Amino acid sequence: MERFLAADEGKRVRIINAAMKEFRYGFKRASTDTIVRDAGISKGLLFHYFGTKETLYEFVVEFAVETLQKDFYDMVNFGQSDIIENIWQQALLRRDISDKYPYIYDFITAVHTQAKDNSASVAFLTEVYAQVGQNMLNFAYDRCDRTLFRADIDPRKAITLIIWGVNGLFEEVERRMLTHGDTDSYDVFLEELREYLNTFRKGFYK
Amino acid sequence: MERFLAADEGKRVRIINAAMKEFRYGFKRASTDTIVRDAGISKGLLFHYFGTKETLYEFVVEFAVETLQKDFYDMVNFGQSDIIENIWQQALLRRDISDKYPYIYDFITAVHTQAKDNSASVAFLTEVYAQVGQNMLNFAYDRCDRTLFRADIDPRKAITLIIWGVNGLFEEVERRMLTHGDTDSYDVFLEELREYLNTFRKGFYK
DNA sequence: GAAAGCGTTGACTAATTTAGTCAGTTGTGT
DNA sequence: ACACAACTGACTAAATTAGTCAACGCTTTC
């Protein structure tokens, strides 16, 4: 594993992405043959780096968690009290992460929902997921300026809906990229996102 | 296959659900052994019904498409011009379908996104998905009473956001059911949905 | 220039899993 | 008691699996 960390960035990213892509379907279903083919390395090298499939899996889970947590803390540090503006900033981060690691969200969701099939501790993963998912919402709720919302709108519900909206757009853009193979879709995404966030702003803010 | 259709309802549903559950991860990854174990039938019987794995797959795709199309047409026939009320009705249908076929949405999404891995025609599946997904939106947009919306709110964007919101809630309820094993979550879902739809109503309607 | 040491390869293996079969058992109706 | 289904699960040949290992190429060092 120290050997892997010593490899050059490009190769590391290729291996991580190939592993995340394959592990989306669960630990057992993933084939190391597919991973090495995808990453463009030999079978021997993968096992030279990680020793076992399980070690590779654990490494990638940890990597994904840390990457997303870093994202989470960055978000917190925006210190933006206008929640819609804050979510916009988050989306910028998310675009960057998805650009580099296209399967990371899919992967971490799968790790969570298929926890029983996989080897890692369920409690740990639940906690992780809570941090990446629900806690982010709580955090956003606690920090944001709720007085911006109209009096008859429940800010918590509104924030939830905004997050679901961002997710919906994100997933649709990814679907589009998958079926049409556009690479510049993330720019379109940001443009559309601005409009959707404005719709929310008009509807939910004073 | 006629033999399968002659089998009793309970067994048919069990087989269809087991197949959808397994085929979510793609045609090749699915194991007929897992399907028969899940469905509680013998290996021989499955092949007595369908002959090959591929025939089974095609049958289940067609079944899912038809089931969802039926849902789509029912929705259209509500003839409800208040789109939020219409979406409420759709959610009731969706709950019923997901109750009977818990993997049908996951399955049809997977069939679409993994079209290249699978055997069925990509063009056909794209069309199907468009009908179940995007066209539903167009249809809803064309038929609904846009004058209910505030003048400064783009009805198309608002409707999209509402649909994404319903999806978000639905997915979260399913996640909850998976991790906590609640069975009555669909009722909670409807309760919460009412509230979220009211939030939308307050924000986007005049 | 040779030896040592590393990253890297891919053919190889033993074990498991795969889709599909088939001889035989159970059930049902006459 | 017979016929003719539905149904079973042990079985097979082929494919796939995680992991190994002898050998290759490329620097570095003397």
Side-chain angles (χ1 to χ4, degrees):
Chain A
M1 248 217 39
E2 316 74 37
R3 295 199 193 107
F4 174 73
L5 296 171
D8 76 88
E9 161 94 10
K11 187 180 274 188
R12 253 161 41 222
V13 170
R14 261 162 41 225
I15 292 173
I16 288 172
N17 280 334
M20 282 181 176
K21 185 176 177 184
E22 187 67 6
F23 281 129
R24 282 179 304 171
Y25 304 113
F27 176 77
K28 271 184 246 163
R29 305 183 119 91
S31 157
T32 53
D33 284 307
T34 306
I35 292 172
V36 299
R37 192 178 353 102
D38 239 59
I41 57 165
S42 69
K43 192 93 182 272
L45 189 56
L46 187 76
F47 282 87
H48 178 66
Y49 284 153
F50 295 100
T52 66
K53 182 184 172 186
E54 192 137 2
T55 307
L56 168 63
Y57 180 74
E58 279 160 14
F59 173 84
V60 180
V61 171
E62 207 180 318
F63 174 85
V65 166
E66 274 168 18
T67 303
L68 293 173
Q69 272 179 343
K70 188 181 167 305
D71 184 32
F72 174 69
Y73 290 121
D74 284 354
M75 184 271 298
V76 167
N77 289 332
F78 287 145
Q80 177 57 258
S81 66
D82 179 340
I83 185 73
I84 292 185
E85 200 50 43
N86 194 313
I87 284 173
W88 167 257
Q89 305 282 358
Q90 285 178 52
L92 292 177
L93 280 185
R94 181 163 174 179
R95 179 204 49 181
D96 292 341
I97 292 183
S98 286
D99 210 32
K100 191 167 185 186
Y101 305 108
Y103 305 101
I104 195 167
Y105 283 95
D106 264 16
F107 171 69
I108 210 68
T109 304
V111 165
H112 178 244
T113 56
Q114 302 169 0
K116 296 155 211 156
D117 305 343
N118 305 332
S119 48
S121 148
V122 177
F124 167 70
L125 290 173
T126 305
E127 198 192 342
V128 162
Y129 199 79
Q131 190 155 66
V132 176
Q134 193 57 40
N135 283 9
M136 192 169 110
L137 184 65
N138 289 331
F139 218 94
Y141 178 77
D142 286 343
R143 292 195 133 220
C144 79
D145 182 359
R146 268 107 66 197
T147 65
L148 293 170
F149 288 92
R150 281 169 40 186
D152 59 337
I153 297 284
D154 176 356
R156 177 158 240 120
K157 285 204 174 56
I159 293 170
T160 307
L161 287 176
I162 295 169
I163 288 174
W164 283 340
V166 176
N167 264 335
L169 177 57
F170 216 88
E171 278 164 25
E172 200 199 283
V173 169
E174 279 177 353
R175 250 193 315 272
R176 269 189 236 155
M177 287 173 69
L178 219 101
T179 49
H180 302 101
D182 312 331
T183 34
D184 57 337
S185 287
Y186 280 125
D187 298 328
V188 182
F189 164 69
L190 289 180
E191 240 173 83
E192 285 185 46
L193 182 59
R194 265 249 174 266
E195 291 169 24
Y196 282 116
L197 288 181
N198 275 333
T199 304
F200 275 126
R201 189 174 266 119
K202 280 187 223 156
F204 294 156
Y205 273 14
K206 275 173 189 160
Chain B
M1 247 216 40
E2 316 75 35
R3 293 197 193 108
F4 174 73
L5 296 172
D8 75 272
E9 161 94 10
K11 186 180 276 186
R12 254 162 40 223
V13 170
R14 260 162 41 225
I15 292 172
I16 287 172
N17 281 333
M20 282 181 175
K21 185 177 178 182
E22 187 66 7
F23 281 130
R24 281 178 306 171
Y25 305 113
F27 176 77
K28 271 184 248 163
R29 305 184 120 89
S31 157
T32 53
D33 284 305
T34 306
I35 293 171
V36 300
R37 192 179 352 103
D38 239 57
I41 58 164
S42 69
K43 193 95 183 267
L45 188 55
L46 187 76
F47 283 87
H48 178 65
Y49 284 152
F50 295 101
T52 67
K53 182 184 172 186
E54 191 138 4
T55 307
L56 167 64
Y57 180 73
E58 280 160 13
F59 173 83
V60 179
V61 171
E62 207 181 320
F63 175 85
V65 167
E66 274 168 19
T67 303
L68 292 174
Q69 272 179 342
K70 189 183 166 302
D71 184 32
F72 175 69
Y73 290 122
D74 283 355
M75 185 270 298
V76 168
N77 288 332
F78 288 145
Q80 177 58 257
S81 66
D82 178 341
I83 184 73
I84 292 184
E85 200 51 44
N86 194 313
I87 283 172
W88 168 258
Q89 304 283 355
Q90 285 178 51
L92 291 177
L93 280 184
R94 182 163 173 180
R95 178 204 51 181
D96 292 342
I97 291 183
S98 285
D99 211 31
K100 191 167 185 185
Y101 304 108
Y103 306 100
I104 194 166
Y105 283 95
D106 264 15
F107 170 69
I108 210 69
T109 304
V111 165
H112 178 244
T113 55
Q114 303 169 359
K116 294 153 212 155
D117 306 342
N118 304 333
S119 47
S121 149
V122 177
F124 167 70
L125 291 174
T126 305
E127 199 191 343
V128 161
Y129 199 78
Q131 191 155 68
V132 175
Q134 193 57 39
N135 283 9
M136 192 168 110
L137 184 65
N138 289 333
F139 218 94
Y141 178 77
D142 287 343
R143 292 196 133 217
C144 78
D145 182 358
R146 267 107 64 198
T147 64
L148 293 170
F149 287 92
R150 281 168 40 183
D152 58 338
I153 298 285
D154 176 354
R156 176 158 242 120
K157 285 203 175 56
I159 293 169
T160 306
L161 288 176
I162 295 169
I163 288 175
W164 283 340
V166 176
N167 264 335
L169 177 58
F170 216 89
E171 277 164 26
E172 199 198 283
V173 169
E174 279 177 352
R175 247 189 320 268
R176 269 189 238 156
M177 287 173 69
L178 220 99
T179 48
H180 302 101
D182 312 331
T183 35
D184 57 337
S185 288
Y186 280 124
D187 297 328
V188 182
F189 163 69
L190 289 181
E191 240 173 81
E192 287 186 45
L193 182 59
R194 264 252 173 262
E195 291 169 24
Y196 282 116
L197 287 180
N198 274 334
T199 304
F200 275 126
R201 188 174 268 120
K202 282 187 222 156
F204 295 157
Y205 273 14
K206 276 174 188 159

mmCIF file of all heavy atoms in Angstrom, chain A residues 11 42 44-45 49, chain C residues 7-11:
data_model
loop_
_atom_site.group_PDB
_atom_site.id
_atom_site.type_symbol
_atom_site.label_atom_id
_atom_site.label_comp_id
_atom_site.label_asym_id
_atom_site.label_seq_id
_atom_site.Cartn_x
_atom_site.Cartn_y
_atom_site.Cartn_z
ATOM 1 N N LYS A 11 -1.622 7.359 -12.545
ATOM 2 C CA LYS A 11 -1.883 5.931 -12.380
ATOM 3 C C LYS A 11 -2.767 5.686 -11.159
ATOM 4 O O LYS A 11 -3.701 4.895 -11.205
ATOM 5 C CB LYS A 11 -0.556 5.187 -12.236
ATOM 6 C CG LYS A 11 -0.716 3.681 -12.217
ATOM 7 C CD LYS A 11 0.620 2.975 -12.061
ATOM 8 C CE LYS A 11 1.306 2.776 -13.403
ATOM 9 N NZ LYS A 11 2.517 1.921 -13.293
ATOM 10 N N SER A 42 -1.367 -4.221 -15.074
ATOM 11 C CA SER A 42 -1.377 -5.683 -15.058
ATOM 12 C C SER A 42 -1.938 -6.183 -13.728
ATOM 13 O O SER A 42 -1.950 -5.467 -12.726
ATOM 14 C CB SER A 42 0.037 -6.208 -15.215
ATOM 15 O OG SER A 42 0.784 -5.919 -14.053
ATOM 16 N N GLY A 44 -0.686 -8.433 -11.863
ATOM 17 C CA GLY A 44 0.379 -8.523 -10.884
ATOM 18 C C GLY A 44 0.586 -7.229 -10.117
ATOM 19 O O GLY A 44 0.771 -7.239 -8.900
ATOM 20 N N LEU A 45 0.510 -6.107 -10.841
ATOM 21 C CA LEU A 45 0.797 -4.825 -10.196
ATOM 22 C C LEU A 45 -0.241 -4.482 -9.129
ATOM 23 O O LEU A 45 0.113 -4.017 -8.040
ATOM 24 C CB LEU A 45 0.857 -3.706 -11.248
ATOM 25 C CG LEU A 45 1.355 -2.362 -10.722
ATOM 26 C CD1 LEU A 45 2.716 -2.489 -10.079
ATOM 27 C CD2 LEU A 45 1.410 -1.337 -11.847
ATOM 28 N N TYR A 49 0.575 -3.885 -5.237
ATOM 29 C CA TYR A 49 0.205 -2.707 -4.447
ATOM 30 C C TYR A 49 -0.597 -3.069 -3.204
ATOM 31 O O TYR A 49 -0.355 -2.573 -2.109
ATOM 32 C CB TYR A 49 -0.643 -1.748 -5.290
ATOM 33 C CG TYR A 49 0.130 -0.944 -6.304
ATOM 34 C CD1 TYR A 49 -0.495 -0.492 -7.465
ATOM 35 C CD2 TYR A 49 1.470 -0.614 -6.107
ATOM 36 C CE1 TYR A 49 0.198 0.261 -8.400
ATOM 37 C CE2 TYR A 49 2.162 0.129 -7.037
ATOM 38 C CZ TYR A 49 1.532 0.574 -8.184
ATOM 39 O OH TYR A 49 2.205 1.311 -9.110
ATOM 40 P P DG C 7 9.286 -0.316 -6.141
ATOM 41 O OP1 DG C 7 8.775 0.893 -5.449
ATOM 42 O OP2 DG C 7 9.043 -1.672 -5.595
ATOM 43 O "O5'" DG C 7 8.754 -0.281 -7.647
ATOM 44 C "C5'" DG C 7 8.992 0.873 -8.427
ATOM 45 C "C4'" DG C 7 8.573 0.607 -9.857
ATOM 46 O "O4'" DG C 7 9.304 -0.546 -10.362
ATOM 47 C "C3'" DG C 7 7.092 0.289 -10.036
ATOM 48 O "O3'" DG C 7 6.649 0.920 -11.231
ATOM 49 C "C2'" DG C 7 7.061 -1.236 -10.145
ATOM 50 C "C1'" DG C 7 8.383 -1.533 -10.825
ATOM 51 N N9 DG C 7 8.964 -2.839 -10.500
ATOM 52 C C8 DG C 7 9.141 -3.386 -9.251
ATOM 53 N N7 DG C 7 9.714 -4.560 -9.280
ATOM 54 C C5 DG C 7 9.922 -4.811 -10.628
ATOM 55 C C6 DG C 7 10.500 -5.931 -11.279
ATOM 56 O O6 DG C 7 10.965 -6.957 -10.773
ATOM 57 N N1 DG C 7 10.508 -5.785 -12.676
ATOM 58 C C2 DG C 7 10.036 -4.669 -13.330
ATOM 59 N N2 DG C 7 10.119 -4.697 -14.663
ATOM 60 N N3 DG C 7 9.487 -3.614 -12.742
ATOM 61 C C4 DG C 7 9.468 -3.753 -11.395
ATOM 62 P P DT C 8 5.104 0.844 -11.633
ATOM 63 O OP1 DT C 8 4.846 1.994 -12.545
ATOM 64 O OP2 DT C 8 4.328 0.694 -10.396
ATOM 65 O "O5'" DT C 8 4.975 -0.474 -12.506
ATOM 66 C "C5'" DT C 8 5.684 -0.538 -13.751
ATOM 67 C "C4'" DT C 8 5.632 -1.943 -14.310
ATOM 68 O "O4'" DT C 8 6.364 -2.851 -13.469
ATOM 69 C "C3'" DT C 8 4.243 -2.573 -14.405
ATOM 70 O "O3'" DT C 8 3.735 -2.362 -15.712
ATOM 71 C "C2'" DT C 8 4.489 -4.057 -14.109
ATOM 72 C "C1'" DT C 8 5.986 -4.139 -13.876
ATOM 73 N N1 DT C 8 6.404 -5.133 -12.849
ATOM 74 C C2 DT C 8 6.984 -6.309 -13.266
ATOM 75 O O2 DT C 8 7.165 -6.578 -14.438
ATOM 76 N N3 DT C 8 7.335 -7.171 -12.264
ATOM 77 C C4 DT C 8 7.179 -6.971 -10.897
ATOM 78 O O4 DT C 8 7.531 -7.820 -10.082
ATOM 79 C C5 DT C 8 6.552 -5.720 -10.518
ATOM 80 C C7 DT C 8 6.321 -5.412 -9.073
ATOM 81 C C6 DT C 8 6.208 -4.875 -11.505
ATOM 82 P P DT C 9 2.290 -2.914 -16.117
ATOM 83 O OP1 DT C 9 1.797 -2.106 -17.258
ATOM 84 O OP2 DT C 9 1.487 -3.045 -14.893
ATOM 85 O "O5'" DT C 9 2.637 -4.373 -16.641
ATOM 86 C "C5'" DT C 9 3.502 -4.532 -17.751
ATOM 87 C "C4'" DT C 9 3.798 -5.994 -17.957
ATOM 88 O "O4'" DT C 9 4.372 -6.530 -16.743
ATOM 89 C "C3'" DT C 9 2.567 -6.851 -18.238
ATOM 90 O "O3'" DT C 9 2.588 -7.236 -19.598
ATOM 91 C "C2'" DT C 9 2.698 -8.050 -17.275
ATOM 92 C "C1'" DT C 9 4.094 -7.909 -16.706
ATOM 93 N N1 DT C 9 4.270 -8.345 -15.293
ATOM 94 C C2 DT C 9 4.915 -9.530 -15.030
ATOM 95 O O2 DT C 9 5.338 -10.264 -15.903
ATOM 96 N N3 DT C 9 5.041 -9.832 -13.695
ATOM 97 C C4 DT C 9 4.606 -9.078 -12.613
ATOM 98 O O4 DT C 9 4.789 -9.457 -11.464
ATOM 99 C C5 DT C 9 3.935 -7.847 -12.961
ATOM 100 C C7 DT C 9 3.430 -6.951 -11.875
ATOM 101 C C6 DT C 9 3.801 -7.542 -14.259
ATOM 102 P P DG C 10 1.228 -7.297 -20.407
ATOM 103 O OP1 DG C 10 1.521 -6.936 -21.810
ATOM 104 O OP2 DG C 10 0.178 -6.583 -19.658
ATOM 105 O "O5'" DG C 10 0.912 -8.859 -20.355
ATOM 106 C "C5'" DG C 10 1.898 -9.775 -20.795
ATOM 107 C "C4'" DG C 10 1.615 -11.152 -20.219
ATOM 108 O "O4'" DG C 10 1.944 -11.154 -18.810
ATOM 109 C "C3'" DG C 10 0.147 -11.589 -20.289
ATOM 110 O "O3'" DG C 10 0.126 -12.993 -20.476
ATOM 111 C "C2'" DG C 10 -0.363 -11.270 -18.897
ATOM 112 C "C1'" DG C 10 0.849 -11.700 -18.098
ATOM 113 N N9 DG C 10 0.893 -11.216 -16.736
ATOM 114 C C8 DG C 10 0.242 -10.126 -16.205
ATOM 115 N N7 DG C 10 0.495 -9.951 -14.934
ATOM 116 C C5 DG C 10 1.355 -10.990 -14.601
ATOM 117 C C6 DG C 10 1.966 -11.330 -13.375
ATOM 118 O O6 DG C 10 1.873 -10.757 -12.289
ATOM 119 N N1 DG C 10 2.778 -12.467 -13.488
ATOM 120 C C2 DG C 10 2.960 -13.178 -14.646
ATOM 121 N N2 DG C 10 3.761 -14.242 -14.570
ATOM 122 N N3 DG C 10 2.396 -12.872 -15.809
ATOM 123 C C4 DG C 10 1.615 -11.777 -15.703
ATOM 124 P P DA C 11 -0.513 -13.640 -21.741
ATOM 125 O OP1 DA C 11 0.137 -13.033 -22.917
ATOM 126 O OP2 DA C 11 -1.981 -13.620 -21.594
ATOM 127 O "O5'" DA C 11 -0.015 -15.166 -21.617
ATOM 128 C "C5'" DA C 11 1.381 -15.457 -21.563
ATOM 129 C "C4'" DA C 11 1.667 -16.512 -20.496
ATOM 130 O "O4'" DA C 11 1.578 -15.930 -19.162
ATOM 131 C "C3'" DA C 11 0.708 -17.706 -20.484
ATOM 132 O "O3'" DA C 11 1.465 -18.869 -20.144
ATOM 133 C "C2'" DA C 11 -0.287 -17.347 -19.384
ATOM 134 C "C1'" DA C 11 0.616 -16.645 -18.386
ATOM 135 N N9 DA C 11 -0.037 -15.669 -17.524
ATOM 136 C C8 DA C 11 -0.951 -14.713 -17.894
ATOM 137 N N7 DA C 11 -1.362 -13.965 -16.889
ATOM 138 C C5 DA C 11 -0.680 -14.466 -15.791
ATOM 139 C C6 DA C 11 -0.669 -14.106 -14.431
ATOM 140 N N6 DA C 11 -1.399 -13.116 -13.925
ATOM 141 N N1 DA C 11 0.135 -14.814 -13.599
ATOM 142 C C2 DA C 11 0.873 -15.810 -14.119
ATOM 143 N N3 DA C 11 0.951 -16.235 -15.376
ATOM 144 C C4 DA C 11 0.147 -15.512 -16.165
#
